[in-house]
Amino acid sequence: MNAPDPGRPEDGAASLRRALHATAGELAPPPYPAERVRRLGRRRVRARRAVVAVPAAAAVLAAVAVGLPQWSGGEGPSAAGAAADKAPGTRVTPSLAPAQPPVPSARPWPAVRTVRAGEPVEIGRGQVLTLSEDQVCHRDTTEPGGGVEDACKSVSDGNQAAGSVSIQSSGTLLRPLYIGPGRAARMTVEVDGEVHRAQVLTLEGNPGYAVGYAWGAGVAFDGPTPKVRVSDAEGGLLAEFP
């Protein structure tokens, strides 16, 4: 740098340059970090090699997946190969098959109702049944006068054979009657293709019969013949009609 001319006034820029030059002359530059630069260079080279190697590894995995036998389920090698194609270089964990929804249980049968002999049992819609040791009586309280007369059917006169079932109908009320030694627990009445589950009534002990009731289409004399089935608690058939 040229020395200032003592005959000329020194401007601000020249004064700043002279001060910087004087200060920098007293500083010693640090040694060149050659080893650190070489380490950084080696790291960059390895990183570039890894980037090139990843697509090659993905291609190899895809080829292996194609060569493996195909499985119908979601846990076989084909599923693992597909996962490897989607995420090369990651650990593949076969996915579990989706849980199946629980199967809904069948509608439970109505429990058998045990009543006392001579006890009026209201079964709905103004209808009343009364069971005794030797007969079943039905009263329709919606009739004029409150249905003072019962329509009764004997269970001991021999008009219905043991081990059989009959069917009575009053309007939309269906009343199957089973007579026999078995313990009736399930009764169904099918009318014109529609199946109705009947509520079973019986007496305490072993009365030798059981009666049921259900609401459905009325049974006409000139209509289709109803089908009645009576089973025990395990589903064993006791009787059927016709």
Side-chain angles (χ1 to χ4, degrees), residues 24 35 71 89 126 129 132 149 155 162 164 171 175 202 222 227 234:
E35 184 59 29
W71 292 67
L129 292 179
S132 67
E149 295 183 2
V155 296
S164 66
R175 293 186 292 114
T202 188
D222 57 350
K227 299 178 182 179
E234 287 71 36

Side-chain angles (χ1 to χ4, degrees), residues 9 19 27 48 64 99-100 104 106 123 128 131 165 175 185 191 197 202 239:
L27 298 177
R48 283 194 294 268
V64 171
Q100 297 297 325
I123 61 175
V128 177
L131 282 61
V165 61
R175 293 186 292 114
V191 181
R197 290 185 176 186
T202 188

